[in-house]
Amino acid sequence: MNPEFYSRVADEFGEYTSGGLRTDVFPDGDPEAAFDELARAAGGPDGRLVDVGCADGRSLLRIAPAFASVLGIDMSASMLDAAERKRGAMGLGHVAFERRDASRTGLPDGKVDLLTSRRGPLFLEEFRRVLKPGGHLIYMGIGETDVRELKETFGRGQLYGRWDGRPVMDEVVADLNAAGFTVVLEKAFRNAEFYHSPVELDRFLRQVPIFEDYDPEADRALFERYVASASSDRGVRLDRHWFVVQARRTT
């Protein structure tokens, strides 16, 4: 993860948002809603939640009321500033945001009931250390075929070329099992996003790390080629592929 990318997005747009007016189609269900439901079910009056890579906090704040103590960590100071503004507006005094390295959080051993991470890095040894025995990790990852056609047009991008290899979700499950977790749920989600205009798609690409080096001017020809191939009366289509895994610390 590149903190400078996320800080630039926060400084330009004021927050981390997927941006762009669009219509979503969820044949497998909404992965964000599924993630939230799993997280809330793990809450309780004494529950302690840590969210890794919290960005501007919007996702964490949706589930925060289900827990007694909530901490969001990120490496981007600008994102944390945006998160603190959102927290203040919602009046959630039991939520804190701190700048910490997810690979070395500095948190005490075995005190966390639930650790969540949405599309962030996995540091399983550290995550296992901070979780209580029996505590849970809920992770949302990016699948190997996410926006494949877009990345093929650009000839680069996040997980570029991984669609011919082992499924990312299978790798995550194997890594969790090897690290002392028991996987209790794994589900892939494939959905479509229809951006209402090329302008909306361009805005989206400037705010997400599909291409951290995306440049509207330098990439104009590639962008227009993709728009021409993916446009319909519903908008400019992107095919998404995410997955959600829940695991329990067992050793």
Side-chain angles (χ1 to χ4, degrees):
M1 305 295 285
N2 182 356
E4 293 182 359
F5 171 82
Y6 293 97
S7 292
R8 176 175 58 78
V9 170
D11 291 341
E12 182 176 354
F13 296 99
E15 58 187 358
Y16 179 57
T17 172
S18 56
L21 295 175
R22 69 176 193 246
T23 300
D24 296 324
V25 178
F26 295 113
D28 299 322
D30 181 346
E32 292 283 3
F35 190 103
D36 289 356
E37 182 178 358
L38 291 171
R40 292 189 187 102
D46 300 316
R48 301 186 66 179
L49 164 65
V50 172
D51 184 55
V52 174
C54 64
D56 67 359
R58 66 177 56 219
S59 298
L60 176 58
L61 292 169
R62 288 199 305 266
I63 61 176
F67 294 84
S69 173
V70 177
L71 173 65
I73 66 173
D74 203 283
M75 287 295 289
S76 167
S78 296
M79 282 293 174
L80 292 171
D81 288 343
E84 183 57 33
R85 290 194 297 272
K86 292 180 184 298
R87 185 209 63 79
M90 295 177 68
L92 295 176
H94 70 300
V95 180
F97 293 100
E98 297 178 0
R99 191 171 188 270
R100 292 177 183 258
D101 184 340
S103 66
R104 299 181 300 277
T105 63
L107 297 172
D109 294 353
K111 299 296 184 181
V112 175
D113 295 287
L114 175 65
L115 192 150
T116 56
S117 177
R118 303 182 194 234
R119 299 177 296 276
L122 278 173
F123 300 104
L124 294 181
E125 182 176 346
E126 177 69 359
F127 293 178
R128 179 184 171 278
R129 182 187 68 78
V130 303
L131 281 169
K132 294 178 179 179
H136 283 252
L137 166 66
I138 302 176
Y139 177 70
M140 178 183 290
I142 299 170
E144 63 281 352
T145 64
D146 188 57
V147 298
R148 174 177 175 175
E149 292 79 6
L150 176 70
K151 288 181 282 192
E152 287 181 323
T153 299
F154 277 66
R156 68 183 197 274
Q158 195 175 43
L159 295 176
Y160 180 78
R162 280 292 305 272
W163 41 81
D164 293 325
R166 185 183 185 188
V168 176
M169 185 171 71
D170 290 358
E171 290 189 358
V172 169
V173 168
D175 290 345
L176 284 162
N177 289 330
F181 290 85
T182 297
V183 174
V184 298
L185 179 145
E186 54 183 288
K187 182 177 179 180
F189 295 82
R190 290 178 172 80
N191 58 279
E193 299 171 346
F194 293 91
Y195 287 83
H196 294 182
S197 72
V199 171
E200 300 298 342
L201 177 61
D202 171 74
R203 178 180 174 83
F204 167 77
L205 292 178
R206 288 187 286 128
Q207 296 181 63
V208 296
I210 293 172
F211 311 111
E212 289 192 7
D213 60 348
Y214 175 70
D215 184 318
E217 293 303 320
D219 291 318
R220 180 179 298 276
L222 296 173
F223 178 83
E224 291 178 348
R225 184 185 308 164
Y226 179 78
V227 168
S229 68
S231 292
S232 70
D233 56 359
R234 302 186 70 179
V236 187
R237 178 172 179 145
L238 284 183
D239 288 318
R240 309 309 307 269
H241 175 195
W242 293 352
F243 63 88
V244 173
V245 175
Q246 182 175 3
R248 182 178 66 252
R249 177 188 164 180
T250 50
T251 61

